[in-house]
DNA sequence: TGACTAAATTAGACCGGTCGGTTTGTTCCG
DNA sequence: CGGAACAAACCGACCGGTCTAATTTAGTCA
């Protein structure tokens, strides 16, 4: 079905964009990998840029799924839920060969030359931070964090430090930076 | 002189690679910006990839200069020297329009498709971390850090968290992530 | 000090290949 | 039957790199 074609392109596009980045991945290469003709590609997507932006949307669906799953787990205290989300993300990175974060990659590559991508990626990070901040608010209520914690800032910090660790993980093909970052952040944050 | 030409290409290349990344910057565009003919480019550089790797070398000269300047300042205690280095880097970012870090950008864009770039960028980060770890060793000696601090890991963490903040700074064109990260790191690290 | 030579550097036209996107046509599905 | 989806040839533009030629620079020698 038509929707299968579009989803296949988005899924394969996510994987290939993660490894190669935006400019190194040509439309032709993606189509060769999926055995889909170019007419179909331009039927579903207005342009390559449109495709890239929709890949990000598709990616965020998965991220929000993961956030729903972890932050919604009432059997764990809030801080552990937040940490669990990142541990699951690390497992996802392992399945991909420790290539880091798609958002970080596209944001880094394109935010100097495309306002559409800069705004979209920044909005995505802000959305993730907003959801984490909500969970940190609950941690304050539960006494896990001191009452004067600026949860918005702490959530942004968590995202930022994770993205830096994700870059080094991509460079080293090793998850150690992710673990060190989580250990440091949660050790420094607990009440 | 010939060396002037090469240095001009490297300087201009640094600036343009920071904004646009590797693949979006064509050799012709760089040559148009510098009014240098293509024959000269390929006289000084074996290839575009060779050029990119030499830009990184040139960049690291500046980084080591900044490290020499800050970490060698005996009028400040060690932790403040380290922090000063990053504050100076933030000022450099301001001059560039808050476009983040060249190493982070190239590492993110190219480390999935070029072993030469992946190794070079990773080596650069390791070098910076090594020098910062030396200064953190001195902070232990001075009592600024507890004796059981793993300075190698703390130095890597500092680099990683900074790179994540640099990405967000690039996305937002705002230094707030850098400052928040430094405040958090040094507040959590002091003895 | 000037002439000469070789090497270094500059100059830019040209190349084959690939790019993103368009166009025309065919097939499928509701 | 018409619109959606698929199909693939084709296009102009641009890519990294090569090649041949011209100019400049540096070294040597009388």
């Amino acid at each position: 079905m038509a929707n299968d074609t579009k989803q296949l392109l988005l899924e394969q596009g996510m994987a290939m964009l993660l490894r190669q980045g935006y400019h190194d991945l040509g439309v032709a290469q993606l189509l060769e990998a999926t055995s889909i003709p170019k007419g179909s590609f331009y039927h579903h997507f207005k342009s390559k840029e449109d495709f890239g932006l929709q890949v990000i949307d598709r990616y965020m669906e998965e991220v929000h799924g993961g956030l729903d799953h972890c932050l919604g787990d009432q059997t764990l205290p809030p801080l552990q839920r937040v940490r669990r989300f990142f541990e699951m993300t690390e497992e996802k990175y392992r399945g991909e060969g420790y290539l880091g974060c798609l958002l970080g990659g596209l944001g880094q590559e394109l935010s100097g030359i495309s306002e559409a991508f800069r705004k979209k990626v920044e909005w995505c990070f802000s959305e993730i931070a907003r959801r984490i901040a909500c969970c940190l608010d609950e941690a304050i209520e539960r006494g896990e964090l001191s009452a004067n914690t600026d949860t918005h800032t702490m959530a942004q910090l968590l995202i930022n430090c994770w993205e830096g660790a994700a870059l080094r993980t991509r460079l080293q093909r090793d998850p150690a930076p992710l673990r060190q970052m989580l250990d440091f952040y949660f050790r420094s944050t607990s009440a």
Side-chain angles (χ1 to χ4, degrees), chain A:
Chain A
M1 295 306 117
N3 199 48
D4 294 343
T5 301
K6 183 172 183 177
Q7 290 309 313
L8 175 57
L9 286 168
L10 291 172
E11 295 291 332
Q12 186 70 26
M14 265 199 291
M16 296 176 85
L17 285 169
L18 176 61
R19 173 173 289 277
Q20 312 182 217
Y22 182 84
H23 284 108
D24 188 75
L25 176 61
V27 173
Q29 189 185 352
L30 173 68
L31 298 178
E32 182 174 9
T34 53
S35 299
I36 291 169
K38 187 167 282 189
S40 298
F41 180 90
Y42 283 98
H43 175 75
H44 292 295
F45 306 104
K46 188 180 306 175
S47 63
K48 183 183 178 185
E49 183 184 58
D50 181 39
F51 169 73
L53 293 166
Q54 292 197 44
V55 163
I56 291 175
D57 288 336
R58 179 70 188 81
Y59 180 78
M60 285 302 287
E61 284 173 15
E62 291 188 6
V63 170
H64 280 295
L67 284 166
D68 290 344
H69 184 265
C70 294
L71 305 194
D73 183 354
Q74 296 296 333
T75 68
L76 293 178
L79 280 190
Q80 284 187 46
R81 292 180 220 154
V82 171
R83 182 161 187 157
R84 185 71 191 115
F85 169 72
F86 286 99
E87 287 167 348
M88 279 184 59
T89 305
E90 182 190 319
E91 286 165 22
K92 172 184 181 322
Y93 288 2
R94 172 155 35 86
E96 294 161 347
Y98 291 122
L99 294 174
C101 173
L102 178 67
L103 278 186
L106 293 181
Q108 191 78 260
E109 183 183 354
L110 300 175
S111 61
I113 54 177
S114 164
E115 268 302 285
F117 275 103
R118 187 184 71 78
K119 282 175 170 166
K120 167 79 86 172
V121 172
E122 176 52 28
W123 178 83
C124 291
F125 280 131
S126 296
E127 273 297 288
I128 299 171
R130 184 184 59 77
R131 294 196 60 178
I132 290 175
C134 286
C135 205
L136 295 185
D137 283 336
E138 193 179 330
I140 291 181
E141 291 169 14
R142 299 278 203 92
E144 285 188 288
L145 290 176
S146 60
N148 62 349
T149 301
D150 181 349
T151 53
H152 172 74
T153 298
M154 291 310 294
Q156 297 283 0
L157 265 167
L158 181 47
I159 298 290
N160 298 353
C161 293
W162 176 264
E163 287 301 319
L167 165 63
R168 290 304 291 286
T169 289
R170 179 173 168 85
L171 289 170
Q172 297 169 13
R173 301 294 200 267
D174 185 293
L178 300 171
R179 293 175 185 159
Q180 286 162 359
M181 175 262 147
L182 288 180
D183 286 344
F184 175 72
Y185 180 89
F186 286 97
R187 181 173 65 243
S188 305
T189 301
S190 297

